[in-house]
Amino acid sequence: MPHPYVLLSAAVSLDGYLDDTGPDRLLLSSPADFDRVDEVRAGADAILIGAGTIRADNPRLLVNSEERRAARTAAGKPEYPLKVTVSGSGDLDPDARFWHTGGEKVLYTTDRGAERARALGLATDVVPLGAGLDWRRLLTHLHDVRGVRRLMVEGGGLIHTQLVTQGLADELQLVLAPLFVGDPGAPRLFGPGGYQGGRLRLLESRRIEDVVLMRYEPTAPGTGPLPAAADHHWLALACELAERCPPSDTAFSVGAVVVAADGTELARGHSREGGDPVVHAEEAALAKLDPADPRLPGATVYSSLEPCARRASRPAPCARLILDAGVRRVVTAWREPDTFVTDADGSGLLAAGGVEVVVLPEHEERAKAPNRHLPG
């Protein structure tokens, strides 16, 4: 199901702590960085914090700049982003500043927590998610019901850990402060968990007074039928490659990327690459790899269009090439229409061969864009 773009935002000490154990909040960011955070908030549709952060910091969670709030309203948005919190128990202080400042608020909780929250009279929309907290269901609700397309998550550490380990964080904005905490009882940014392997990609590093901002995005593909955040990044790249194809009236424009389990890009290709009028995207990408590459069985192939099951120009369709390469996971944006081949079912051929096929329809329109001129 479609989710918002999830941006995790945090400031930490050099030894990885979010705070100390004192009665007052430890200020890790610089004044200039607080202003940057205010700008990021202003660009978000919603801001999320956990119940523990409400209890520990009693934040207002506002866009402080009058100019930025004015720009939001001029763009037809609410003055403040939607404020979101998560609590399994629903046991929150009804007098906390979170509820009484800014615009709309929503609490996601369990069925039992919803009863408690309503009994407390919290000034918020209460949304029960069932017997437990389900992050995918929560994100889908924010996207489909609340219209949230960009979600900023400001903690705490448990929430950051859950979103990263479940592959749901699209970006991490981390500010490193030049001090140490050293208290084992203090909260840390990330806790133990089943993190995906591989290295994150550094998008930006920037000095802001005496702190350093680092922006990362995950690269490791998902491992099953549920998409990870990196799956969206790689499929977007495949759609971008499709836009580079030489135009044709007799074939689709498709892009493809082959990515190892650790997030290493192994190869990429696009239709009619290198002047070959009949080469397909997946074919072009796989041809650049050694068939004996031990990374292929754990790799994911991203293709803007479902790999073909039949073709007239070459003996082996792309679905067969993928099976022969030993790849066992394919992510695509768009099922092949009957434009050139009737009842095409590359996904069925792949699934029959033991390949997990994941379709992300939120990328379909971009995948179709370079093919708008084709009939049907």
Side-chain angles (χ1 to χ4, degrees):
M1 300 296 291
H3 295 161
Y5 183 92
V6 177
L7 182 159
L8 308 189
S9 176
V12 295
S13 64
L14 290 174
D15 49 348
Y17 288 94
L18 290 166
D19 201 351
D20 57 19
T21 54
D24 299 320
R25 179 189 173 196
L26 177 64
L27 298 180
L28 293 163
S29 294
S30 66
D33 186 59
F34 283 124
D35 186 65
R36 179 196 64 83
V37 170
D38 194 65
E39 182 178 19
V40 177
R41 285 180 178 178
D45 298 310
I47 307 169
L48 184 150
I49 59 172
T53 302
I54 293 178
R55 296 183 186 110
D57 298 339
N58 194 23
R60 296 183 304 157
L61 215 67
L62 302 176
V63 175
N64 295 313
S65 165
E66 184 177 344
E67 292 78 10
R68 290 173 184 142
R69 296 198 305 271
R72 286 180 57 87
T73 56
K77 299 179 180 180
E79 183 179 11
Y80 294 100
L82 175 70
K83 298 203 298 187
V84 184
T85 191
V86 182
S87 170
S89 68
D91 187 9
L92 289 161
D93 182 0
D95 294 325
R97 291 188 294 183
F98 179 90
W99 315 114
H100 303 289
T101 57
E104 290 190 72
K105 297 93 182 171
V106 58
L107 164 65
Y108 288 97
T109 183
T110 61
D111 292 342
R112 181 171 294 182
E115 296 177 7
R116 180 64 180 270
R118 288 168 179 147
L120 290 170
L122 298 179
T124 183
D125 178 20
V126 178
V127 180
L129 297 174
L133 294 173
D134 183 331
W135 278 106
R136 290 182 183 271
R137 186 176 174 187
L138 184 157
L139 293 173
T140 299
H141 187 275
L142 278 176
H143 182 280
D144 292 352
V145 178
R146 286 290 187 163
V148 173
R149 297 298 179 264
R150 187 173 182 87
L151 173 67
M152 182 181 184
V153 180
E154 296 197 36
L158 177 60
I159 285 178
H160 282 150
T161 298
Q162 290 175 342
L163 289 169
V164 172
T165 55
Q166 294 182 38
L168 296 173
D170 293 279
E171 180 181 338
L172 170 61
Q173 293 191 3
L174 177 65
V175 165
L176 191 62
L179 54 84
F180 295 94
V181 173
D183 185 341
R188 302 187 71 94
L189 173 58
F190 292 116
Y195 294 93
Q196 291 179 285
R199 301 170 71 90
L200 279 69
R201 179 183 295 110
L202 179 64
L203 300 174
E204 178 190 5
S205 61
R206 188 197 330 164
R207 178 178 177 176
I208 307 174
E209 294 178 336
D210 67 341
V211 304
V212 177
L213 167 69
M214 295 168 289
R215 295 176 53 233
Y216 291 95
E217 69 176 7
T219 62
T223 56
L226 294 177
D231 289 327
H232 293 278
H233 298 307
W234 290 116
L235 188 56
L237 174 58
C239 292
E240 178 185 327
L241 292 171
E243 296 167 358
R244 303 180 190 178
C245 299
S248 171
D249 292 329
T250 58
F252 291 109
S253 292
V254 182
V257 190
V258 185
V259 182
D262 66 356
T264 301
E265 181 181 330
L266 301 180
R268 61 174 68 182
H270 59 78
S271 305
R272 300 173 292 284
E273 182 177 329
D276 185 336
V278 296
V279 72
H280 286 194
E282 303 93 328
E283 177 186 19
L286 290 170
K288 298 168 185 173
L289 297 172
D290 182 346
D293 191 322
R295 297 171 294 180
L296 280 170
T300 295
V301 170
Y302 296 89
S303 180
S304 60
L305 177 66
E306 172 187 45
C308 63
R310 299 193 304 276
R311 61 188 295 190
S313 58
R314 295 273 166 83
C318 291
R320 173 49 56 190
L321 294 175
I322 291 169
L323 289 169
D324 291 345
V327 173
R328 289 296 174 261
R329 188 168 184 266
V330 170
V331 178
T332 185
W334 180 30
R335 297 295 299 270
E336 183 178 353
D338 292 343
T339 306
F340 303 114
V341 177
T342 303
D343 297 325
D345 188 16
S347 296
L349 178 59
L350 290 167
V355 175
E356 186 77 61
V357 179
V358 181
V359 181
L360 301 181
E362 52 266 53
H363 298 268
E364 181 175 323
E365 289 306 311
R366 187 173 180 189
K368 287 179 175 179
N371 297 286
R372 293 291 186 195
H373 63 287
L374 296 175

